[in-house]
Amino acid sequence: MDLRQMEYVVALADEQQFTRAAAVCRVSQSGLSAAIRNLEDELGTPLFTRTTRRVDTTDAGLALLPFARATLAQAAAGRDAVVRATHSLSGRLYVGAEQCLGVVDVPPLLERFHRRYPLVDIHFTQAGSHDLVTQIHAGTLDVAFVATTEHLATVHSTELGRRPVVLLAPPGHPLASGSSVEWAALRDHEFIDFRESWGVRSLNEAACSELGASRRVRCTVDDIHTLLDLIHRGLGIALVPQHVAEKPEAAGLTTIRLPRETTPEWVVSAVTANHADASAARLLDLLDPPARTPQLLPGLLHAAR
């Protein structure tokens, strides 16, 4: 087993699809598939079960996964130690992120940056995407991880990933009986949504307006766990990015798909001013290839410069 195979195992377990895993690893789908098959032949057991819709990790794959993550983490720590010993970087770095972005886990990213560049003074703030973009324009943030495509024309943005929006409903809700729903069926139901500064709120508003699904936002929140708690308590339904519906706190709620051709996509990007300083550039270097939850480990093989 080599590091590349470990990277592929982690990526495929996280993404549950060969196409997305190959894109994250920046390798052809056939190359990733062949590497996984070779590893399974070497170990004498399947690591994944394949269907036309998704890939699931077998018991053997689940047994291997923590060792694969640890191997990648150890390799990354070694590269970080070399960078720390041979490069000096100081100053301040102002970073912002919206909560629970799904396709990038910001705290581990900042931890790794701090290990590499301990002399850089990191300042972190959490806010809605629209507020973060405003701070990038104002020059009070160096880097922001946002979930919006609005007002990005005059800044530098790098897309990190996207997820479809789904509907979450509590058990017993009239819409919870099916696995999919038409937009017209959402009319006049009571919703829970985020404040206007969150990217997903404006995405939801635009989609509902365009597709004729007038709605009442009964509860407005500023964190994901409160939103899920209110749904559990029957106070409304919510349009959320798919990864939110997969959180442990969402267990027991019904996930309902929207029509495929009109499903909004929730897009996460790293945003900087057009002339980012050295610290901002080094932070973004660690996103090559794009980081994913639950850990950044698949990207670590390529992060050292």
Side-chain angles (χ1 to χ4, degrees):
M1 293 183 287
D2 58 32
L3 286 174
R4 179 68 70 177
Q5 288 174 319
M6 296 300 96
E7 180 186 12
Y8 293 169
V9 166
V10 172
L12 190 55
D14 288 349
E15 295 296 335
Q16 299 180 330
Q17 187 188 83
F18 275 95
T19 301
R20 289 199 302 262
V24 166
C25 295
R26 299 196 178 176
V27 65
S28 68
Q29 184 173 334
S30 60
L32 184 141
S33 182
I36 293 293
R37 283 198 306 271
N38 290 340
L39 180 57
E40 290 175 326
D41 290 342
E42 178 184 339
L43 295 175
T45 186
L47 301 174
F48 300 94
T49 57
R50 290 87 160 162
T51 69
T52 56
R53 301 191 61 173
R54 59 182 288 159
V55 175
D56 291 313
T57 311
T58 65
D59 288 343
L62 291 173
L64 176 62
L65 197 55
F67 295 96
R69 294 193 192 279
T71 298
L72 295 174
Q74 188 174 23
R79 288 176 171 82
D80 289 343
V82 172
V83 172
R84 186 167 59 247
T86 57
H87 295 75
S88 61
L89 188 68
S90 60
R92 294 184 177 181
L93 177 64
Y94 293 87
V95 183
E98 190 169 285
Q99 186 191 61
C100 196
L101 290 167
V103 299
V104 57
D105 197 356
V106 177
L109 176 66
L110 296 180
E111 177 191 14
R112 186 170 183 220
F113 180 88
H114 180 64
R115 287 203 311 264
R116 279 197 170 200
Y117 308 108
L119 298 182
V120 176
D121 186 12
I122 300 172
H123 295 256
F124 175 72
T125 186
Q126 192 174 73
S129 289
H130 298 307
D131 287 347
L132 295 171
V133 172
T134 297
Q135 292 181 60
I136 288 288
H137 282 292
T140 55
L141 281 180
D142 298 309
V143 183
F145 297 94
V146 301
T148 181
T149 57
E150 298 180 57
H151 310 300
L152 302 185
T154 59
V155 298
H156 179 75
S157 64
T158 301
E159 182 179 324
L160 304 180
R162 56 180 63 203
R163 295 289 185 268
V165 169
V166 298
L167 182 70
L168 269 183
H173 190 276
L175 297 180
S177 59
S179 60
S180 62
V181 66
E182 296 295 326
W183 285 96
L186 304 185
R187 291 189 188 126
D188 300 325
H189 283 285
E190 294 183 330
F191 279 77
I192 303 163
D193 211 330
F194 300 98
R195 285 197 305 123
E196 287 77 2
S197 63
W198 285 57
V200 69
R201 175 64 181 266
S202 56
L203 183 68
N204 291 341
E205 296 286 3
C208 289
S209 175
E210 180 181 348
L211 298 165
S214 59
R215 62 180 189 149
R216 297 193 299 269
V217 177
R218 181 181 190 177
C219 302
T220 301
V221 301
D222 213 14
D223 86 276
I224 286 170
H225 293 160
T226 299
L227 176 134
L228 295 174
D229 189 25
L230 291 172
I231 301 173
H232 276 292
R233 296 176 187 279
L235 292 174
I237 57 179
L239 293 165
V240 299
Q242 185 179 47
H243 73 278
V244 173
E246 297 169 353
K247 292 178 69 67
E249 294 83 358
L253 300 177
T254 301
T255 301
I256 307 162
R257 297 190 309 273
L258 299 163
R260 179 177 298 179
E261 63 277 6
T262 55
T263 297
E265 285 194 311
W266 184 82
V267 181
V268 176
S269 301
V271 178
T272 66
N274 285 323
H275 301 288
D277 65 14
S279 294
R282 294 295 184 272
L283 179 68
L284 296 183
D285 279 348
L286 301 183
L287 290 170
D288 183 19
R292 304 183 315 282
T293 54
Q295 298 186 35
L296 294 168
L297 299 180
L300 299 186
L301 290 174
H302 307 286
R305 291 289 193 242

